[in-house]
Amino acid sequence: MGQQIFKGNIIFTPSPEELKICAKSHIVVEDGTVEGIYERLPEKYGHAPVKDYGERLILPGFVDLHVHAAQFYQCGLGLDRELIDWLSDCTFPAESRFSDPVYAREAYSLFADELIRQGTARACIFATIHKESTGLLFEILQEKGIGAFVGKVNMDRNCPGFLREETEVSIEETEELIIQYGGHPLVKPILTPRFAPSCSGKLLAAIGELAEKYNLPVQSHLAENRREVEWVRELFPSRPTYSDVYFDSGLFGQTPTLMAHGIYLTDRELGLIKDNGVVLVHCPESNINLASGIMPVRKWLGRGIRAGLGSDVGAGHTLAMSKAVVRAIQLSKLMKFFDPWAKPLTIAEAFYMATKGGGSFFGKVGSFEKGYSFDAIVVEDDPRIAGRLSLEEQFQRFLYTGDDRNIIARFVRGRQVG
Ligand code: GUN
Ligand code: FE
């Protein structure tokens, strides 16, 4: 790929406290990796071609740490229900369609195009139980050039017959996909037990063994809804908490682990999460839509827990991570009414979660510091308005009022996508 140089107004968050703004600067990229940012280009690059984006903003591409590809058509539908009824009435029937690879190919292509259009560079994705269509999802993402962890969903109980797997088959097919798709540099497998209620203890333990055998990451759902938490207590009476169910199966930080939601957690669980480096995924749109609750994200961050952001489409109704950033900030403000000492998230903190924070699950991703993958979006605004604003204000305005029409270019590891 060699050397590339881009010029524009570069904005990123090296830490949750710092919004770094490099006005009219150059970013030098070598083989897809950031080499440095320069206001004035050093002599040695003097004659290299520069892609000049003028007044536009260059931001890190977004990282969506939790999304269900098979629920893309379902966005906005059936959201007058809470989690358990939404799963059985809407989601399980919708996911059953993915037994048909023809249907899956079209749905997954449209999903991937929209993900890219909205400026997401990396995503951690749930497919469905279906091996063949999950394989297609790997291939479609590889083709389109986006970075992802993709998981075939495992579930062998508490689901309708048309979506229930035999335990042995679930494990075999998961392992076959790992072997078939394990070698790609950008699109990789992740173990994906749906959530504890839909997995037998035997299935969870076997998935934990696969995680260890292939040294693979894990993603699932945790403590999203009060009824769900109660259900896990009934299904696993010998385990002290929901988190212990995963931990005892080797699915809670023994390899890199993402747990979506994490709203209703005990002190013991917060300790397990922190000590094992489990990453919680805050999915604000989903938590509002399914009336699940508000993740006390400030409190969790204060306890040293790692957290990123997810769209959780289709419980979330948009793949636009700029909207997740804004909604996370808004919910953190509402939190004040329950906890007067709660300090709202700042824009830098929420943007960090959607870029470098979540990106750490992928390695050096989500920032423009030296050594980071050049994953970027280029943002354009109406110059009649943008021209009156500071760069920080233009950045704020994009997050709050912008959409995919403002994104004029997208890069993943230096390669233009979309
Ligand atoms: N818990 C188990 N499955 C799901 C799902 O598909 N979406 C959400 N939001 N929560 C879940
Ligand atoms: Fe989810």
Side-chain angles (χ1 to χ4, degrees), residues 66 68 71 74 83-84 86-87 91-92 95 126 153 155 193-198 220-222 224 228 242 246 260-261 283 286-287 290 292 312-316:
H66 183 76
H68 299 259
Q71 295 173 18
Q74 209 188 321
L83 176 66
I84 308 295
W86 172 81
L87 283 172
T91 309
F92 292 156
E95 290 192 9
F126 283 56
V153 170
M155 47 204 282
R194 177 166 217 123
F195 68 156
S198 64
S220 192
H221 296 89
L222 174 70
E224 171 178 7
E228 171 211 7
Y242 195 160
Y246 292 129
H261 306 293
C283 304
S286 161
N287 294 341
L290 295 181
S292 300
D312 198 19
V313 153

Side-chain angles (χ1 to χ4, degrees), residues 104-309:
R105 183 186 291 279
E106 181 172 87
Y108 284 154
S109 295
L110 293 176
F111 162 78
D113 288 342
E114 179 65 8
L115 201 63
I116 292 168
R117 188 177 300 125
Q118 295 294 349
T120 294
R122 311 268 178 161
C124 296
I125 307 176
F126 283 56
T128 61
I129 61 166
H130 308 99
K131 183 186 149 192
E132 189 176 353
S133 59
T134 303
L136 290 173
L137 180 56
F138 275 97
E139 290 168 21
I140 288 164
L141 295 164
Q142 289 173 7
E143 224 169 86
K144 294 189 188 280
I146 196 170
F149 283 109
V150 176
K152 186 201 101 63
V153 170
N154 304 102
M155 47 204 282
D156 68 347
R157 66 165 169 172
N158 293 319
C159 47
F162 56 77
L163 220 52
R164 183 175 307 125
E165 301 178 288
E166 293 299 329
T167 312
E168 308 298 338
V169 175
S170 180
I171 291 304
E172 275 166 32
E173 295 193 343
T174 302
E175 189 161 14
E176 284 162 16
L177 284 169
I178 291 168
I179 292 166
Q180 191 173 350
Y181 293 102
H184 193 271
L186 274 177
V187 182
K188 301 175 186 186
I190 183 167
L191 291 156
T192 307
R194 177 166 217 123
F195 68 156
S198 64
C199 300
S200 63
K202 187 175 166 201
L203 179 60
L204 289 173
I207 299 168
E209 284 167 21
L210 284 181
E212 190 189 359
K213 178 173 173 188
Y214 292 97
N215 189 27
L216 285 180
V218 172
Q219 61 180 352
S220 192
H221 296 89
L222 174 70
E224 171 178 7
N225 166 292
R226 286 204 172 93
R227 207 174 129 200
E228 171 211 7
V229 173
E230 194 49 48
W231 196 19
V232 172
R233 215 190 317 274
E234 288 161 20
L235 290 168
F236 298 91
S238 66
R239 308 289 164 80
T241 69
Y242 195 160
S243 299
D244 282 276
V245 173
Y246 292 129
F247 183 72
D248 293 351
S249 308
L251 297 167
F252 210 67
Q254 288 90 344
T255 60
T257 302
L258 293 172
M259 286 287 157
H261 306 293
I263 300 172
Y264 302 104
L265 297 169
T266 63
D267 260 348
R268 173 185 169 85
E269 290 178 284
L270 294 168
L272 273 178
I273 289 165
K274 176 160 189 287
D275 294 346
N276 293 286
V278 170
V279 179
L280 293 183
V281 189
H282 183 20
C283 304
E285 303 266 25
S286 161
N287 294 341
I288 297 168
N289 287 334
L290 295 181
S292 300
I294 305 179
M295 187 213 236
V297 59
R298 162 73 64 211
K299 212 158 140 186
W300 294 174
L301 292 173
R303 294 186 60 149
I305 286 169
R306 291 169 65 196
L309 285 181

